């Protein structure tokens, strides 16, 4: 995990084909007010919100390949990979564009 020297997540700018995301926090309470145990909070495919995206990585010809996501997108992540960043109490993840499984269209 990265050191906590980062004061604001706005100061983190992803490079190349990296994407900064924040996973959605699992629901801890049902609509009727019942509290859920932490064991029921795990989802098979974690969902996340894209905070920032790099410009894209160059291909073998030197052309920049555009990113498949942009800030504000909702995505599905694999349960592995990426680098965690903690800013205060909030946790974020830096992943490669190619690791994103899907974009959730609403």
């Amino acid at each position: 995990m990265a050191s906590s020297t980062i004061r604001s997540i706005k100061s983190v700018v992803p490079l190349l084909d990296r994407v900064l995301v924040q996973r959605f926090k699992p629901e801890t309470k049902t609509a009727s007010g019942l509290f859920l145990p932490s064991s029921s909070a795990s989802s098979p495919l974690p969902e996340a919100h894209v905070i920032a995206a790099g410009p894209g990585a160059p291909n073998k010809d030197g052309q920049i390949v555009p990113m498949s996501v942009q800030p504000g997108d909702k995505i599905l992540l694999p349960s592995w990979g990426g680098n965690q960043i903690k800013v205060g109490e909030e946790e974020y993840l830096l992943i490669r564009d190619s690791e994103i499984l899907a974009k959730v269209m609403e």
Side-chain angles (χ1 to χ4, degrees):
M1 198 177 303
S3 171
S4 153
T5 58
I6 301 169
R7 297 188 193 277
S8 167
I9 199 62
K10 300 265 187 214
S11 65
V12 178
V13 179
L15 301 176
L16 299 174
D17 64 341
R18 289 177 180 80
V19 181
L20 179 66
V21 300
Q22 185 174 28
R23 286 190 171 136
F24 290 119
K25 293 183 172 87
E27 293 294 325
T28 58
K29 196 160 85 170
T30 64
S32 62
L34 297 174
F35 286 96
L36 298 171
S38 60
S39 61
S40 71
S42 64
S43 115
L45 291 174
E47 294 180 359
H49 176 74
V50 176
I51 305 296
N59 62 15
K60 64 181 180 181
D61 298 324
Q63 301 293 323
I64 299 294
V65 178
M67 301 293 281
S68 60
V69 296
Q70 58 186 342
D73 286 347
K74 184 177 177 181
I75 59 171
L76 295 179
L77 299 173
S79 53
W80 46 266
N83 294 44
Q84 275 192 318
I85 298 173
K86 190 167 184 177
V87 178
E89 295 298 313
E90 298 292 324
E91 290 186 6
Y92 300 89
L93 193 64
L94 263 175
I95 61 170
R96 290 190 179 274
D97 187 50
S98 60
E99 292 176 1
I100 296 172
L101 300 176
K103 190 186 317 187
V104 178
M105 306 303 280
E106 296 186 78

